[in-house]
């Protein structure tokens, strides 16, 4: 007797990714560079977030031929993005055999109110979050892995830092509440009460939480690990840099040895120019991808 | 006190430490090769084998781990760890540590959607063991000195060769510590015989 698609199998898959770097790639060649550099998984996309920003218009699930090309090129797991609430895109990705689906605010949402009911799928999902309420709602919908939203495609770490600190601060707050205070916390954060009780007991989320959205340098990746991330997603940073292979290797090592500052100094030498980056105040409301879902 | 190191370059190493401590031994995360001198046995955890290999090379772990094994100290590889121990992978002899005489197929059960949980009988270790397989490899064949401990669907998923132990599944993801306890016992016995 065996069972597929159990919580343990779906969450366990993310556990195996811990301490690692998941890289955005748009073709087989980039996927191979990522694998060679030591990425634990790749995210197959049609465009990296910085280019999605530049292109404007509606961003959708990638052309399946790109995703397939990447799946055939590497033996590490391949993730792919579906639009928020786009049940069919997610089912298509599952049918293709993608290893993890990112229900992602980087793409234009298909549903501005509801997320996908992810616990009905055999394939595991990762979702973005900015606070404990979003984290808890996504987990209860069936997400097996979380990531901070940050602000994708900006090369600016400030939002990822804000979200990681926010979530961790709220977990500590929750731990300090007496049991009879948790219901009001649940109300204020619009989070399921029983899940909050579980988080309060364990002192951590029941799934792995990576950092994403603005990581542009090895030091950025190390900072997010320092702040308690289980691993990092690097989107536009790597293949928008001058020497992607070297950059990718440096990010992987900085993530493993995030508290070895001498090493990070060495890794950061002569990497060429990192992506240019954007200041948050230059983004208007609808350019802030993190606000596309709650 | 018996100290078990868990190679902590990438993957589920903290869970292994917790499992080791549940058996009563001391668990430490090993990030630098010098730490190998301070431990009695080593666990190579699950994670991404290609990523781990890159980091093993980068930090010169390959030869020191081989020497650790040759000195008679036990090594336990789970999932990616099993791949790292094998002497043949996917029909190629381009191997990692290559200390165990087993032929391994990577991602042998398929992609993530094919990942599963199943109950196993592990010979001499545990009956009805809840095993979690995640994009798991299996062993296609074992050498003369290696002993098959468990099969699933006809495929070898756990094996032991002297002081080397390997399994395709993830004992660290459940609260069933019986195979970890088996390894700790192997380490305690080797410690006694190495002390003679």
């Amino acid at each position: 007797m065996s069972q597929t698609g159990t919580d343990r199998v779906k969450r366990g898959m993310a556990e195996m990714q811990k301490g690692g770097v998941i890289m955005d790639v748009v073709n087989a060649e980039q996927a191979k560079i990522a694998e060679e550099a030591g990425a634990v998984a790749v995210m197959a996309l049609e465009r990296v977030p910085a280019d999605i920003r530049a292109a404007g218009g509606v961003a959708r699930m990638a052309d399946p031929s790109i995703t397939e090309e990447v799946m055939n090129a590497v033996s590490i797991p391949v993730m792919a993005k579906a639009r928020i609430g786009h049940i069919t895109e997610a089912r298509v990705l599952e049918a293709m055999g993608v290893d993890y689906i990112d229900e992602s605010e980087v793409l234009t949402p298909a549903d501005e109110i509801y997320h996908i009911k992810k616990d009905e799928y055999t394939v595991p999902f990762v979702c973005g979050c900015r606070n404990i309420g979003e984290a808890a709602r996504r987990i209860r919908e069936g997400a097996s892995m979380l990531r901070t939203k940050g602000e994708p495609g900006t090369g600016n770490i400030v939002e990822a830092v804000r979200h990681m600190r926010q979530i961790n601060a709220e977990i500590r707050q929750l731990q300090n509440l007496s049991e009879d205070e948790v219901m009001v916390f649940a109300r204020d954060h619009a989070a399921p009460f029983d899940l909050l009780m579980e988080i309060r007991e364990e002192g951590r989320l029941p799934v792995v939480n990576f950092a994403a959205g603005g990581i542009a340098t090895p030091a950025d990746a190390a900072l997010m690990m320092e702040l308690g991330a289980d691993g990092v997603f690097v989107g536009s940073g790597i293949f928008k840099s001058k020497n992607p292979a070297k950059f990718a290797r440096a990010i992987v090592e900085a993530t493993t040895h995030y508290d070895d500052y001498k090493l990070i100094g060495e890794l950061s030498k002569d990497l060429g120019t990192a992506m240019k980056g954007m200041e948050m105040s230059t983004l208007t409301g609808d350019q802030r991808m993190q606000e596309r879902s709650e | 006190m018996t100290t078990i190191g868990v190679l902590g370059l990438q993957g589920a190493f903290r869970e292994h430490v917790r499992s080791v401590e549940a058996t009563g031994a001391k668990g430490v995360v090993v990030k630098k090769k010098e730490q190998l001198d301070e431990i009695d046995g080593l666990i190579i955890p699950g994670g991404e084998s290609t990523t781990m290999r890159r980091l093993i090379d980068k930090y010169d772990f390959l030869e020191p781990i081989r020497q650790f094994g040759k000195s008679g100290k036990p090594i336990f590889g789970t999932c990616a760890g099993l791949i790292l121990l094998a002497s043949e992978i996917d029909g190629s002899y381009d191997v990692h540590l290559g200390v165990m005489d087993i032929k391994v197929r990577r991602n042998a059960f398929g992609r993530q959607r094919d990942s599963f949980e199943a109950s196993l009988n592990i010979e001499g270790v545990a009956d009805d063991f809840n095993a979690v397989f995640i994009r798991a490899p299996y062993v296609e064949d074992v050498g003369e000195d290696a002993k098959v401990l468990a099969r699933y669907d006809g495929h070898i998923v756990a094996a032991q060769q002297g002081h080397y132990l390997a399994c395709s599944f993830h004992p660290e993801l459940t609260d069933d510590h019986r195979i970890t306890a088996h390894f700790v016992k192997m380490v305690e016995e080797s410690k006694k015989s190495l002390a003679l």
Side-chain angles (χ1 to χ4, degrees):
Chain A
M1 260 306 284
S2 77
Q3 262 192 307
T4 56
T6 61
D7 269 353
R8 216 174 241 156
V9 160
K10 294 199 285 188
R11 291 178 181 184
M13 157 75 195
E15 299 282 343
M16 296 310 131
Q17 306 265 296
K18 280 194 301 197
V21 182
I22 300 170
M23 302 183 190
D24 280 0
V25 299
V26 299
N27 55 39
E29 187 201 350
Q30 291 187 355
K32 281 184 183 147
I33 291 173
E35 183 175 48
E36 184 57 32
V40 289
V42 289
M43 177 78 70
L45 288 163
E46 205 157 307
R47 296 194 192 100
V48 295
D51 291 337
I52 290 176
R53 270 186 196 287
V58 173
R60 310 179 180 91
M61 173 183 81
D63 180 333
S65 60
I66 293 175
T67 312
E68 252 170 32
E69 177 188 319
V70 170
M71 286 166 66
N72 292 333
V74 294
S75 67
I76 54 176
V78 176
M79 301 186 169
K81 289 185 194 290
R83 280 179 270 177
I84 289 170
H86 207 308
I87 299 163
T88 306
E89 283 187 353
R91 285 292 184 194
V92 168
L93 292 172
E94 181 179 52
M96 287 172 65
V98 160
D99 296 302
Y100 234 95
I101 297 175
D102 185 357
E103 186 183 21
S104 177
E105 69 283 1
V106 169
L107 305 182
T108 312
D111 191 323
E112 292 187 328
I113 301 167
Y114 301 109
H115 279 72
I116 297 170
K117 188 160 160 32
K118 295 167 276 286
D119 56 2
E120 292 172 350
Y121 291 67
T122 305
V123 66
F125 280 75
V126 55
C127 284
C129 59
R130 293 175 293 180
N131 52 53
I132 200 166
E134 288 186 356
R137 290 192 293 278
R138 297 299 88 77
I139 292 168
R140 191 37 54 83
E141 287 159 2
S144 307
M145 177 183 190
L146 294 170
R147 53 172 174 75
T148 58
K149 286 179 171 174
E151 192 53 50
T154 60
N156 189 339
I157 196 70
V158 67
E159 296 298 301
V161 167
R162 187 193 318 281
H163 301 159
M164 190 57 73
R165 281 203 181 269
Q166 179 80 23
I167 291 165
N168 291 337
E170 285 167 346
I171 291 173
R172 287 192 300 272
Q173 261 175 35
L174 185 55
Q175 283 182 284
N176 285 329
L177 296 183
S178 65
E179 208 172 322
D180 55 2
E181 293 167 335
V182 176
M183 186 57 83
V184 169
F185 188 93
R187 181 199 66 194
D188 292 346
H189 293 81
F193 173 79
D194 56 337
L195 184 54
L196 290 180
M197 290 298 282
E198 193 187 318
I199 295 168
R200 175 174 168 271
E201 181 75 20
E202 296 291 324
R204 59 186 285 273
L205 297 169
V207 302
V208 163
N209 188 21
F210 271 44
I215 295 165
T217 66
D220 284 351
L223 169 63
M224 295 315 299
M225 295 299 288
E226 183 89 47
L227 292 176
D230 289 313
V232 298
F233 282 86
V234 186
S236 318
I238 292 167
F239 293 98
K240 287 279 151 195
S241 72
K242 263 213 173 107
N243 184 346
K246 192 176 171 191
F247 210 93
R249 283 197 300 270
I251 294 231
V252 168
E253 280 177 48
T255 305
T256 307
H257 293 285
Y258 63 90
D259 53 0
D260 187 339
Y261 308 113
K262 195 160 162 265
L263 175 77
I264 296 168
E266 287 302 315
L267 294 172
S268 306
K269 283 180 183 166
D270 302 319
L271 283 179
T273 321
M275 64 185 287
K276 183 161 173 279
M278 302 168 96
E279 216 289 302
M280 286 308 130
S281 61
T282 64
L283 299 179
T284 58
D286 60 345
Q287 289 172 322
R288 287 167 69 86
M289 292 174 172
Q290 59 174 283
E291 277 158 25
R292 286 172 163 178
S293 71
E294 296 197 311
Chain B
M1 179 108 184
T2 302
T3 307
I4 312 276
V6 182
L7 189 64
L9 296 175
Q10 190 270 317
F13 49 86
R14 280 183 215 102
E15 289 67 18
H16 267 297
V17 170
R18 210 174 47 205
S19 186
V20 165
E21 301 209 315
T23 69
K26 186 178 171 211
V28 294
V29 175
V30 173
K31 285 201 170 207
K32 300 262 157 80
K33 63 184 175 189
E34 293 73 30
Q35 292 174 272
L36 292 173
D37 299 335
E38 299 153 19
I39 59 173
D40 306 307
L42 177 69
I43 295 177
I44 306 180
E48 283 304 319
S49 61
T50 33
T51 306
M52 268 193 236
R53 172 58 193 270
R54 231 204 78 73
L55 293 166
I56 280 175
D57 285 349
K58 182 73 197 175
Y59 299 105
D60 288 327
F61 260 112
L62 199 68
E63 206 42 47
I65 294 177
R66 278 193 190 127
Q67 288 309 324
F68 182 88
K70 277 185 188 151
S71 74
K73 291 187 176 174
I75 304 180
F76 178 21
T78 65
C79 195
L82 171 145
I83 295 169
L84 293 171
L85 291 176
S87 58
E88 192 177 331
I89 302 164
D90 296 344
S92 151
Y93 289 93
D94 182 19
V95 297
H96 307 297
L97 294 162
V99 294
M100 228 179 140
D101 195 6
I102 53 176
K103 290 182 190 176
V104 170
R105 178 156 301 279
R106 298 171 63 215
N107 298 338
F109 293 100
R111 303 197 72 99
Q112 172 59 23
R113 65 175 171 191
D114 307 307
S115 296
F116 61 96
E117 287 184 54
S119 169
L120 291 183
N121 290 335
I122 308 171
E123 199 186 322
V125 178
D127 283 342
D128 196 21
F129 186 89
N130 180 213
V132 183
F133 292 83
I134 296 172
R135 288 167 43 88
Y138 62 62
V139 177
E140 291 185 314
D141 201 7
V142 299
E144 282 179 6
D145 300 336
K147 186 178 161 209
V148 174
L149 296 186
R151 288 178 191 267
Y152 175 76
D153 203 15
H155 304 296
I156 302 164
V157 293
Q160 184 172 346
Q161 179 183 340
H163 61 299
Y164 297 115
L165 179 68
C167 66
S168 305
F169 48 88
H170 292 281
E172 76 282 12
L173 292 182
T174 69
D175 293 326
D176 191 337
H177 305 294
R178 287 178 290 175
I179 194 163
T180 308
H182 173 70
F183 179 66
V184 170
K185 214 170 107 199
M186 282 168 60
V187 175
E188 282 165 355
E189 278 162 14
S190 90
K191 219 177 141 181
K192 267 184 231 153
S193 67
L194 290 173
L196 292 176

